[in-house]
Amino acid sequence: METAGSKAIEVTDLTVAYQDKPVLWDIDLNVPPGVLLSIVGPNGAGKTTLIKAILGLVRPAAGSVLIYNKPYEAQRQIVGYVPQRGSVDWDFPTNVLDVVMMGRYGALGWVRRPGRQERELALQALEKVGMAVYATRQISQLSGGQQQRVFLARALVQDATVYLMDEPFQGVDATTERAIVTLLQELRANGKTVVVVHHDLQTVSDYFDWVMLLNIRRIASGPVDEVFTPDNLRETYGGRVAFMKTGK
Amino acid sequence: MIHNHLDILLIAIVTAVACALPGVFLVLRRMTLMSDAISHAILPGIVLAFFLTESLSSPLLILAAAGTGVLTVLFVELLQRTKLVKEDAAIGLTFPALFSIGVILISRFAGNVHLDMDAVLLGELAIAPLNRLKAFGYDLGPVALYVMGTILVLNLIFIFVFYKELKLATFDASLAAALGFTPTLIHYGLMTLVSVTTVGAFDAVGSILVVALIAGPPATAYLMTDKLSRMLILSAIIGSVNAVSGYWFASLFDVSIAGAIATMTLLVFGVIFLVVPNRGLIAIARRHARQKWEFAQTMLVIHLFNHEGLPEAETESAIADLHEHLSWDPTFTTQVVRYALHNRCVSQDEAQLILTEQGRAIAQQALVQ
């Protein structure tokens, strides 16, 4: 599957619109396997929509998305998704382990219940994100950073090849942010492809090796060293970025 | 007569449990208002099916009404999707429209038949056992019990089989969609179930009180547990308790059974709301009160700690002047001092307050944080 030249994610001429208001204009994006890519752009640039379009959660007006040369529907099992933390109700009556096990639901398919094996995998994933001691904790009692780690564990338990994460650093403390970055880099080291919607331009070149600059249309995408330039940033943010350190 | 009592009680319990189970998911999806809408909007479906079959117990009635119920959900969501109308307004627009069609149909065409507005709105549990299922000359029991029993079994099967899917789609619909579980399908499956249940329960308790059966027990159970499976079981138990106690209340005071059950539902909720440990109103008030004293005590020990061993310590720790230094009410100061003495955070040395080891530790810890 991971032959040289194959593409983990291939977005071609993707346009997404709400009524006649375009949210994404004719996006092309090729993500090779084994890169850690961040999508950056101003608010309303369509970052979340792009992730959702790749996952088939919003219907494109034009264009296509391929995951390892096949449409998403055929590749659900190898794609892990981390939605925004605020997208769910954390007062839902369930505990940490249960939420993490949800990551196995796709592999289980309809009707089949999670069992001992799923429990084991979920506990291992919690171990990886440093949340094993919280396994039986009610989810409403978690801090923001802990919630984010639970969501990450839920994606890890899928044992996917491609990960799509929507703002995993939002509202987490510095310790959690470092822990998440280490985890992402571990995933990449294991040959996974990780796409992260990111907000903090300061950390792009430290955390990621690829970047996509997005503002409704694609400004640029590629290795950070090549495309994370002041010119591209100015084009993306419309001259609102005054002081930026770029490159390493 | 005793037979009759037992029949009514059984119908009430089965109806309550059948309503409470899908109600759990409505409460968690913040959609209890939708059950209100469905319970009213099914009226035109019932009336039209009644005209066709001329019977109130035909299965067609249930199907037609359930169809109208699902249609209601669809209308509400279509309106909402235009983004010109918010969900609550969409519900408020849809169900009175459908309900009024039913009302007009009844008043125009069904003036002389057995389908009156009181029965529609309030139901009549007392007469439910009169309509009996008979076969080969044997009395097999009230039809309503069979209808609600079947609906209860349907609900149990649906929730048991699709428990995992319902849980995921309710907690995180976008992940459910990404994993291929089509939350829309689960959503409409649940809504169909709610519609069917509402139609069945409507016969017994009417279209208004059915909402109490759907929303009451789950909302009560939600306060009592952190586990979905337990919330389902508790809802069923609470629904039964409400039905039994409501029926007992109604017999005692000779009032409407449905009204008494709904009253009990709210009463039980109110009691749980007050007394449940950790998140009940009383527990919260107690916690707040305790926090208030704890915090005052911390302020006191930090004050003593800051001046400890310094020349001004003697004046700063004089019990009689403490309230002036801290700008506290004298009575409050006395209470806090007593609280701190009781907790052995401070000790009294004639007119002075002296920190104990424990008090010093509390102050240091508070200052580090």
Side-chain angles (χ1 to χ4, degrees), chain A residues 1-164:
Chain A
M1 202 153 64
E2 288 171 38
T3 52
S6 76
K7 291 157 191 155
I9 303 172
E10 186 179 10
V11 177
T12 316
D13 303 326
L14 182 79
T15 295
V16 176
Y18 293 125
Q19 316 299 347
D20 58 347
K21 190 169 167 281
V23 189
L24 293 172
W25 257 144
D26 200 44
I27 302 291
D28 288 304
L29 174 67
N30 286 323
V31 187
V35 303
L36 187 46
L37 172 123
S38 69
I39 303 177
V40 297
N43 287 329
K47 303 185 292 284
T48 296
T49 308
L50 177 57
I51 295 268
K52 288 192 167 169
I54 295 173
L55 289 161
L57 297 177
V58 294
R59 201 189 299 259
S64 66
V65 175
L66 295 176
I67 313 275
Y68 280 109
N69 303 318
K70 285 183 198 154
Y72 173 74
E73 286 69 31
Q75 301 282 45
R76 286 185 205 283
Q77 300 299 336
I78 65 159
V79 180
Y81 173 39
V82 179
Q84 281 186 21
R85 184 159 54 82
S87 65
V88 304
D89 174 13
W90 291 93
D91 285 328
F92 191 86
T94 189
N95 65 23
V96 167
L97 188 67
D98 220 31
V99 170
V100 177
M101 280 201 283
M102 288 178 185
R104 295 304 304 165
Y105 284 12
L108 286 167
W110 285 88
V111 178
R112 258 178 66 203
R113 297 281 182 90
R116 186 177 297 166
Q117 195 196 350
E118 282 70 31
R119 265 180 90 82
E120 269 316 305
L121 290 167
L123 278 169
Q124 284 168 19
L126 278 171
E127 194 81 55
K128 267 186 221 153
V129 298
M131 289 282 293
V133 288
Y134 296 98
T136 56
R137 179 79 56 103
Q138 161 67 14
I139 55 169
S140 63
Q141 291 165 11
L142 301 176
S143 71
Q146 291 170 334
Q147 291 175 351
Q148 196 62 62
R149 287 172 192 231
V150 170
F151 262 16
L152 276 170
R154 188 177 70 173
L156 290 180
V157 87
Q158 272 185 265
D159 196 21
T161 313
V162 175
Y163 286 94
L164 301 168

Side-chain angles (χ1 to χ4, degrees), chain A residues 18-19 52 55 57 72 76 79 81 83 87-95 98-99 102-103 105-106 108-114 138-141 151 154 158, chain B residues 25 28 30 81-83 159-168 170-182 185-186 222 225-229 231 279:
Chain A
Y18 293 125
Q19 316 299 347
K52 288 192 167 169
L55 289 161
L57 297 177
Y72 173 74
R76 286 185 205 283
V79 180
Y81 173 39
S87 65
V88 304
D89 174 13
W90 291 93
D91 285 328
F92 191 86
T94 189
N95 65 23
D98 220 31
V99 170
M102 288 178 185
Y105 284 12
L108 286 167
W110 285 88
V111 178
R112 258 178 66 203
R113 297 281 182 90
Q138 161 67 14
I139 55 169
S140 63
Q141 291 165 11
F151 262 16
R154 188 177 70 173
Q158 272 185 265
Chain B
F25 292 99
L28 291 176
R30 302 173 186 186
R81 215 167 294 164
T82 63
K83 301 222 167 133
I159 290 172
F160 185 78
V161 171
F162 296 113
Y163 180 73
K164 170 175 116 245
E165 288 75 11
L166 279 165
K167 179 151 95 178
L168 180 60
T170 303
F171 176 63
D172 192 343
S174 64
L175 182 71
L179 293 178
F181 285 112
T182 26
L185 199 67
I186 297 167
Y222 182 70
T225 178
D226 289 335
K227 220 173 154 205
L228 180 59
S229 53
M231 186 176 165
R279 60 186 89 164

Side-chain angles (χ1 to χ4, degrees), chain A residues 128-208:
Chain A
K128 267 186 221 153
V129 298
M131 289 282 293
V133 288
Y134 296 98
T136 56
R137 179 79 56 103
Q138 161 67 14
I139 55 169
S140 63
Q141 291 165 11
L142 301 176
S143 71
Q146 291 170 334
Q147 291 175 351
Q148 196 62 62
R149 287 172 192 231
V150 170
F151 262 16
L152 276 170
R154 188 177 70 173
L156 290 180
V157 87
Q158 272 185 265
D159 196 21
T161 313
V162 175
Y163 286 94
L164 301 168
M165 307 185 178
D166 200 349
E167 305 229 15
F169 299 113
Q170 196 190 38
V172 306
D173 54 89
T175 325
T176 305
E177 177 155 337
R178 267 194 303 278
I180 295 175
V181 171
T182 312
L183 203 73
L184 298 186
Q185 289 169 346
E186 234 169 74
L187 286 172
R188 178 190 49 193
N190 291 329
K192 318 280 189 186
T193 308
V194 187
V195 175
V196 177
V197 171
H198 193 51
H199 240 124
D200 184 8
L201 294 175
Q202 307 291 340
T203 53
V204 168
S205 39
D206 291 338
Y207 294 172
F208 301 95

